[in-house]
Amino acid sequence: MPTVTIDGTTYEYEGEHKLLQFCLDQGIELPHFCYHPAMSIPANCRQCLVKVGMPKKDRATGEVETDDNGDPVIQFFPKMQASCTVDVQDGMVVKTQRGSEEVEEAQKDTLEFLLINHPLDCPICDQAGHCPLQIQAYKYGPEGSRFEFRKVHKPKRVKLGPRVTLDAERCINCTRCTRFTDEISGSGQLTINQRGVKNYPITAPGEDFDDAYSMNTIDICPVGALTATDFRFKARIWEMSSTPSIVTTNATGANCHYWVRDNLVLRITPRQNLNVNEYWLPDEDRLVYDRFNEHRPDGPEVRRDGELTSASWTQAYARSAALLGQADPDRTLLLGSANATVEDNYLLTQLAEALGTDTPQYIPHVEEGAGDGWLITDDKTPNAQGCERLGMSAVDHDLLGAQIANGDYDVIYVLEDDPVAAGLCTADDLADTDIILHYYNTDNDTLPASDVAIPAAMVVETVGTYINQTGRAQRVRPAKEIQGVNRTLMMEMGKSREDEHGTPFDRWHNESNRVNCKPGWESLPEIARRVGSSMDYEKGPKQIMDELQSTNPAFKGATYKAMGLQGVQLEDVEAGQTA
């Protein structure tokens, strides 16, 4: 097997590798700015320089020359090489900044050059604290500056488009942003303007940077040149917690981080998963963060004397059970949700069995033509496949809408959806029907017609599983704290929310902004027990998923441990192949 020696340690390898990426894969830190594994390699930052040599061979015989100790004689290239462009070869010897003072000095010189015209605005820059240039300047740069002249000034606070703002003075011309629009999103909306120390990325005259993936350029910018217009100056990186999860805007189930301060979601950024979204996240997945903070309910409500009034959780559960218990099962409709977790929908199917009603259906939310064939899908729900695997079917919109309008149902139980907003029925159609509604936001159009309103925890507040359009099971974790957090949520919060360990005096450790809501896997068993069903899951959603994956072949292997942070691919039960 071929080998390569890096700073005295020999590594075996197979296949073809670029030296920089190979080092990173081995946990060897090499500073770099312009390189990105998903894009072309311009080698223009020169920060990843290393010394590279190969065994010296006799020109006549082709045999490797050896020294007195029998070791190969290494002939190093006369100049240092940009490791991002070097192909790893058998017998190659590499010296990084850890093994060569020459490389260490070269990296210092490169950083000094990059910092010559860079503004000293770290105290006000949004990237401060997680800026690769800032971090590498501390690790590998010179201790001071010898530059005594006036820095070159460039345009500042330029709105390239609706979502991205440019501070051109900070740009180090890595060209990651322009390569992204050329090679990844394909919009070609960014180009480099001017030359030399005066150049920076910009759009063509009269054109907006409105690429559907424009905010990815913010993530890959190694400095603070490109920032999110709606996030500028809102929070520092050390004031926020970062929770790994997935977005629920559509059926891709792209992996993300939810960033929280004061128990409010302030931004959403991509999380690498090569099996789902690689390194990227559409803008539409990021811009829903306000939905987790605004128009949230303040506890359950029960209709009294024609008005929805505040009630305790016990009262809401009792009222829900009373409505379900006294209704004719044939005139009871249970609606699941492609927005809800697998666990919540599974419990709803069990409730349907206990009541003797038909298997729940779910409302599809498909916008024909909205998808782009990549990460944006026509299906605007995250768990339609999860519903299908549970045996639920999508509603026949016209048929069910007519049945509701004709008064065929006395009770309708709605799990985390909005039939009125979905166009399934109107509020007037529900006037003579008892509605039990689990809902996320107070702008839910079905809420005014409800008899019992049960606030449901959103994806950032719960634990659960979603199945994306390709059949990949992925779990979510709580990024926000809700009122009355149970043991399961507390344990999960402890894993992902470092700010939970702060003091009351820390700015980000805030007791407010906690919504009075509950996950479906907590509220559904409470209602089920009151209608005589023994729905006992003391260990919470993990126990529910363990039971489901062991009893339903469509979910086989979807344990929390197997899903981890990258998810697990489920099999297509009908075809016997992976979906």
Side-chain angles (χ1 to χ4, degrees):
M1 184 174 290
T3 61
V4 58
T5 302
I6 304 173
D7 293 331
T9 302
T10 300
Y11 302 87
E12 294 182 343
Y13 70 92
E14 295 180 351
E16 298 180 352
H17 303 270
K18 293 297 183 184
L19 179 56
L20 172 57
Q21 188 61 54
F22 182 82
C23 288
L24 297 176
D25 292 341
Q26 308 308 314
I28 301 170
E29 183 175 310
L30 273 181
H32 61 280
F33 295 114
C34 65
Y35 173 77
H36 190 284
M39 295 189 287
S40 59
I41 305 174
N44 55 14
C45 77
R46 315 306 291 177
Q47 189 59 45
C48 66
L49 291 175
V50 294
K51 284 184 67 67
V52 178
M54 292 293 294
K56 186 177 181 180
K57 295 183 178 180
D58 185 279
R59 292 187 178 181
T61 65
E63 296 292 327
V64 174
E65 296 184 15
T66 59
D67 58 20
D68 294 338
N69 297 322
D71 297 323
V73 174
I74 303 302
Q75 189 170 22
F76 285 91
F77 292 109
K79 293 185 178 181
M80 283 179 280
Q81 305 294 306
S83 59
C84 58
T85 65
V86 175
D87 293 314
V88 176
Q89 298 181 48
D90 187 21
M92 179 178 283
V93 175
V94 180
K95 292 183 180 181
T96 73
Q97 72 280 355
R98 299 186 305 169
S100 168
E101 291 185 5
E102 184 181 0
V103 173
E104 184 180 359
E105 287 301 316
Q107 291 175 352
K108 284 184 180 181
D109 293 343
T110 302
L111 274 167
E112 184 177 19
F113 175 76
L114 291 174
L115 291 169
I116 282 178
N117 287 298
H118 196 82
L120 299 176
D121 59 354
C122 294
I124 64 168
C125 179
D126 274 348
Q127 278 285 83
H130 61 131
C131 170
L133 178 62
Q134 185 184 59
I135 294 168
Q136 292 183 38
Y138 276 108
K139 281 189 172 184
Y140 307 107
E143 294 183 0
S145 174
R146 296 176 291 175
F147 190 71
E148 299 177 353
F149 303 94
R150 192 181 193 88
K151 291 179 181 286
V152 173
H153 292 288
K154 301 178 186 179
K156 293 185 67 64
R157 298 177 294 279
V158 178
K159 287 192 175 182
L160 296 180
R163 300 176 288 278
V164 180
T165 297
L166 168 71
D167 286 295
E169 289 181 344
R170 301 172 184 165
C171 178
I172 61 171
N173 299 301
C174 72
T175 68
R176 277 184 169 188
C177 58
T178 58
R179 281 180 285 143
F180 175 83
T181 59
D182 287 345
E183 301 170 13
I184 306 299
S185 70
S187 70
Q189 290 181 330
L190 292 182
T191 188
I192 298 296
N193 183 43
Q194 301 287 354
R195 301 187 67 184
V197 296
K198 296 183 179 181
N199 63 4
Y200 55 88
I202 198 70
T203 60
E207 184 174 353
D208 277 345
F209 184 33
D210 56 2
D211 188 321
Y213 295 83
S214 66
M215 298 178 77
N216 287 280
T217 60
I218 299 167
D219 306 317
I220 61 178
C221 180
V223 292
L226 298 176
T227 55
T229 302
D230 62 344
F231 181 70
R232 284 168 65 91
F233 311 121
K234 277 190 177 180
R236 291 297 196 182
I237 188 72
W238 55 84
E239 295 176 334
M240 298 181 290
S241 66
S242 170
T243 303
S245 189
I246 66 169
V247 292
T248 54
T249 315
N250 57 47
T252 298
N255 288 215
C256 74
H257 286 283
Y258 289 108
W259 295 84
V260 172
R261 191 189 74 178
D262 292 341
N263 211 44
L264 297 174
V265 178
L266 298 185
R267 69 171 180 168
I268 305 170
T269 58
R271 178 168 62 89
Q272 179 181 327
N273 189 329
L274 299 180
N275 294 305
V276 182
N277 54 302
E278 298 179 320
Y279 311 90
W280 319 115
L281 197 64
D283 291 1
E284 73 167 29
D285 288 346
R286 304 167 185 259
L287 299 175
V288 296
Y289 66 91
D290 278 344
R291 188 76 171 157
F292 303 122
N293 308 322
E294 300 176 354
H295 306 294
R296 299 303 307 282
D298 185 21
E301 295 177 298
V302 172
R303 188 170 298 279
R304 300 187 182 95
D305 299 324
E307 296 290 333
L308 278 176
T309 58
S310 294
S312 68
W313 285 97
T314 300
Q315 291 171 329
Y317 296 149
R319 180 61 176 158
S320 299
L323 293 176
L324 292 169
Q326 67 189 16
D328 182 346
D330 292 333
R331 294 181 60 82
T332 300
L333 173 66
L334 272 61
L335 288 175
S337 174
N339 293 306
T341 65
V342 169
E343 291 86 342
D344 293 356
N345 280 296
Y346 176 56
L347 295 184
L348 188 68
T349 63
Q350 289 188 315
L351 179 60
E353 291 180 7
L355 295 172
T357 65
D358 293 335
T359 300
Q361 304 174 62
Y362 72 94
I363 304 172
H365 296 266
V366 177
E367 299 176 14
E368 296 293 343
D372 63 0
W374 186 23
L375 300 182
I376 302 174
T377 64
D378 289 355
D379 185 357
K380 297 306 176 184
T381 63
N383 199 30
Q385 184 159 151
C387 291
E388 294 284 345
R389 287 171 178 260
L390 284 168
M392 297 182 181
S393 59
V395 301
D396 183 320
H397 201 280
D398 294 333
L399 175 60
L400 184 58
Q403 291 173 339
I404 294 173
N406 291 335
D408 290 356
Y409 296 103
D410 295 328
V411 178
I412 300 179
Y413 193 112
V414 182
L415 179 67
E416 301 177 35
D417 214 319
D418 189 349
V420 174
L424 185 64
C425 57
T426 67
D428 290 340
D429 293 336
L430 301 174
D432 296 324
T433 306
D434 293 323
I435 306 297
I436 303 168
L437 176 71
H438 291 247
Y439 70 110
Y440 299 134
N441 301 87
T442 55
D443 55 6
N444 187 300
D445 289 347
T446 308
L447 180 60
S450 301
D451 292 87
V452 183
I454 301 176
M458 302 184 79
V459 64
V460 295
E461 299 156 341
T462 190
V463 176
T465 306
Y466 293 86
I467 314 295
N468 74 357
Q469 63 179 356
T470 65
R472 193 169 194 84
Q474 303 181 102
R475 56 168 304 208
V476 299
R477 298 158 179 80
K480 287 182 60 182
E481 187 176 350
I482 60 177
Q483 293 184 26
V485 174
N486 60 38
R487 183 173 180 272
T488 297
L489 291 175
M490 286 182 64
M491 292 179 67
E492 288 290 340
M493 292 288 287
K495 296 175 184 176
S496 60
R497 284 282 299 271
E498 291 83 359
D499 59 332
E500 283 297 294
H501 303 292
T503 73
F505 305 102
D506 291 327
R507 184 179 179 187
W508 61 88
H509 189 72
N510 197 308
E511 293 297 323
S512 62
N513 302 321
R514 293 190 302 169
V515 181
N516 188 8
C517 62
K518 292 186 184 297
W521 46 260
E522 182 176 351
S523 54
L524 272 163
E526 293 289 344
I527 296 171
R529 281 193 285 271
R530 286 169 171 79
V531 296
S533 174
S534 57
M535 196 181 288
D536 186 13
Y537 295 100
E538 290 185 356
K539 296 181 180 179
K542 180 179 182 297
Q543 180 184 359
I544 297 170
M545 205 63 204
D546 284 343
E547 175 182 295
L548 179 58
Q549 71 89 29
S550 65
T551 58
N552 187 334
F555 294 92
K556 184 179 180 181
T559 64
Y560 277 20
K561 182 179 181 180
M563 284 186 274
L565 289 172
Q566 297 287 299
V568 63
Q569 190 69 36
L570 302 183
E571 289 189 353
D572 185 332
V573 176
E574 293 182 359
Q577 302 293 328
T578 54

